[in-house]
Amino acid sequence: MPRILYLHGFATGPKSRKARIFEAACEANGIDFLCPDLNLPDFARLSFPAMIEVVVNLLNEHDNTYAVASSMGASVLVGSMIELRKRSPDGDLPLKAMALLAPTADFRSSLLRMIGSKQADEWLERGWKSFPHHAVNRSIAVSHELLDAYSAPTSDELDAINIPAIIIHGAKDDVISRDDAELLHEMLPDSTLIEESEADHRLSQMGAKSWDRVASFFSEKSDSGFMQSSESGFRFGLYTSRDLSKMPDFVAEATEIIVSSYGPLSHPRDVLVRRMTEDPGILVWARDGSRIVGCSQVRADGKWGACGVLPRYQGRGLGRRLARLGQRQITEQLVEVGKASHSALRLVLGSGFRPVYDKTTAVSVLRSSVRQEIEIIEVDKLGVVYRRQRERGDDTGPLRLCTFGYRDGLV
């Protein structure tokens, strides 16, 4: 099954208009959609190494991925390709093709232009409190503060990214210079440059046209039928815990899906049943015909409890689809992920959850959510690693905490 990785631009996130355009198109065509939050550790303290580590983890172990990256996201995508090339000089890069929308070639230089632009004033007026107000007067200092360990790609590094690419620039773009698009076109060995005459920096006013342009390019570069997949009749819905308390057969079926997905790491069945029927919250489900094939449980306070998909339906993006449906109902969420569970981490990061990097924040959030003390082990490129006791009394092993929808400055 093909999948699209979307990397958003500066001062936006997984809920941006462009992200939603591509999410809706992917859902309509049965394509797995991944959209990580790149505001890491948070919008006021952007770290390119953290962004790149998230993308590198999402690109692992999948051979049918296409990427779409907007403005800053293009710099992150290129940086991720460079990092993967460093880690595996002779290996194949894990992308079939990529689309760069109003891309930045050197994000530090582009940020300096953006900070003094009319759009920077719009960001402040729209309420991004974390945007540094001293940026206009001290743009150089701010750019270094935000771009920890960032360095512009060299011509040799770009030349080593031999991935088919379409580069789209808006002719009315007064934020990102056309020079960036032309430089990437010149340095990326297999790229096509297109200028949209009526579009500006956002390119989102193109609506469905932006998807059509990108999908057509990806189809040309696909050897497995990029646009030939479909949802095969999947239906989605949700029940509240009050609904589930009156539906024992459905609860039993959902419980078995979670147990089969988690294996020995699953909570006992009675614990799962109690959480679904007694803890206030929702259960989002997916059906294939009359059969339940996946489900995801979220408490009313935002704690993501479990997400399971039957083995024969895994790999189709149903877990991320369920996660996003839950996010539309409960807009602030948190989830604990085992450090060694790479598939669970990719599910969480691809669904827009952001790792927590601050120890104090991790302790505070978890005290209020799981009401247990935690033991901090370390802080690495993907955030705080800790352990605590599970509900049944045994040790969890190393965990990570990720959040979705929390205000900048908290995490």
Side-chain angles (χ1 to χ4, degrees):
M1 177 184 184
R3 67 178 187 173
I4 282 183
L5 169 68
Y6 178 75
L7 302 182
H8 64 76
F10 182 65
T12 63
K15 297 180 181 179
S16 70
R17 185 178 174 190
K18 267 186 284 192
R20 288 179 173 174
I21 288 171
F22 280 91
E23 177 186 345
C26 285
E27 290 182 357
N29 289 279
I31 296 171
D32 189 8
F33 180 73
L34 290 74
C35 187
D37 190 340
L38 299 180
N39 294 298
L40 303 171
D42 58 58
F43 179 55
R45 299 174 294 144
L46 296 182
S47 167
F48 260 68
M51 298 182 209
I52 286 172
E53 193 64 27
V54 164
V55 174
V56 166
N57 273 268
L58 284 174
L59 287 172
N60 257 341
E61 299 178 13
H62 201 286
D63 60 359
N64 200 19
T65 302
Y66 302 77
V68 181
S70 179
S71 72
M72 177 194 74
S75 289
V76 177
L77 181 60
V78 167
S80 300
M81 295 300 101
I82 291 170
E83 178 62 25
L84 285 166
R85 180 61 74 207
K86 289 177 180 177
R87 297 183 187 186
S88 180
D90 300 320
D92 292 331
L93 293 174
L95 281 183
K96 290 280 190 180
M98 57 185 180
L100 309 180
L101 312 181
T104 60
D106 175 353
F107 186 63
R108 177 172 281 117
S109 297
S110 297
L111 178 64
L112 298 182
R113 291 195 298 270
M114 283 190 278
I115 283 173
S117 73
K118 186 165 53 178
Q119 188 161 348
D121 294 333
E122 293 176 4
W123 287 331
L124 293 176
E125 290 172 5
R126 287 165 62 182
W128 272 295
K129 303 300 184 184
S130 298
F131 191 88
H133 288 254
H134 59 289
V136 173
N137 295 325
R138 286 193 268 173
S139 58
I140 294 178
V142 172
S143 69
H144 282 278
E145 175 187 344
L146 294 181
L147 301 175
D148 173 37
Y150 173 76
S151 60
T154 67
S155 58
D156 287 343
E157 288 173 331
L158 289 171
D159 187 59
I161 304 175
N162 194 20
I163 298 170
I166 185 173
I167 302 169
I168 304 177
H169 178 79
K172 297 182 178 180
D173 191 339
D174 61 356
V175 178
I176 304 296
S177 169
R178 180 185 169 90
D179 293 345
D180 287 48
E182 290 179 342
L183 177 62
L184 287 169
H185 175 46
E186 179 183 343
M187 296 299 180
L188 291 171
D190 187 5
S191 64
T192 301
L193 175 60
I194 295 175
E195 183 170 78
E196 295 290 354
S197 59
E198 298 301 316
D200 63 13
H201 171 65
R202 292 177 293 270
L203 289 173
S204 55
Q205 75 272 32
M206 292 170 59
K209 181 181 176 182
S210 60
W211 163 259
D212 293 341
R213 177 85 75 181
V214 169
S216 176
F217 175 73
F218 287 166
S219 295
E220 291 174 9
K221 302 302 177 182
S222 171
D223 56 7
S224 58
F226 175 77
M227 293 293 290
Q228 292 178 10
S229 58
S230 67
E231 283 193 8
S232 303
F234 289 128
R235 294 187 297 115
F236 298 86
L238 71 86
Y239 294 124
T240 67
S241 55
R242 180 175 297 181
D243 297 328
L244 294 171
S245 66
K246 304 170 186 176
M247 304 171 64
D249 291 342
F250 183 95
V251 169
E253 196 171 351
T255 299
E256 291 308 313
I257 290 174
I258 293 174
V259 170
S260 68
S261 298
Y262 283 76
L265 296 177
S266 172
H267 285 285
R269 287 172 174 78
D270 62 323
V271 172
L272 296 173
V273 170
R274 176 175 55 77
R275 289 181 173 182
M276 290 183 202
T277 58
E278 297 181 17
D279 292 349
I282 61 172
L283 186 83
V284 187
W285 49 261
R287 288 184 186 271
D288 183 10
S290 62
R291 185 184 189 188
I292 305 167
V293 298
C295 59
S296 174
Q297 188 258 340
V298 188
R299 288 191 333 211
D301 64 2
K303 179 70 164 61
W304 193 14
C307 182
V309 175
L310 289 176
R312 63 171 291 198
Y313 290 89
Q314 293 174 5
R316 304 190 194 188
L318 287 177
R320 277 179 282 273
R321 182 79 182 271
L322 291 167
R324 288 194 296 271
L325 289 172
Q327 290 163 357
R328 293 170 193 168
Q329 302 298 319
I330 300 176
T331 57
E332 290 188 1
Q333 296 188 22
L334 63 109
V335 62
E336 297 178 283
V337 186
K339 182 184 177 183
S341 181
H342 302 298
S343 60
L345 183 63
R346 285 194 290 273
L347 166 63
V348 167
L349 296 178
S351 303
F353 281 82
R354 183 194 305 175
V356 173
Y357 291 81
D358 180 70
K359 295 179 182 179
T360 302
T361 299
V363 171
S364 175
V365 169
L366 288 164
R367 274 180 181 166
S368 63
S369 176
V370 301
R371 297 175 179 82
Q372 290 188 9
E373 294 299 318
I374 67 172
E375 175 193 347
I376 302 291
I377 300 173
E378 62 177 332
V379 181
D380 62 17
K381 291 182 179 180
L382 288 173
V384 174
V385 180
Y386 63 94
R387 66 173 70 242
R388 66 172 179 83
Q389 295 295 307
R390 302 181 84 190
E391 183 176 331
R392 63 193 186 194
D394 55 329
D395 187 279
T396 58
L399 295 173
R400 298 186 187 278
L401 174 66
C402 298
T403 63
F404 177 88
Y406 277 55
R407 297 189 305 276
D408 279 317
L410 286 179
V411 294

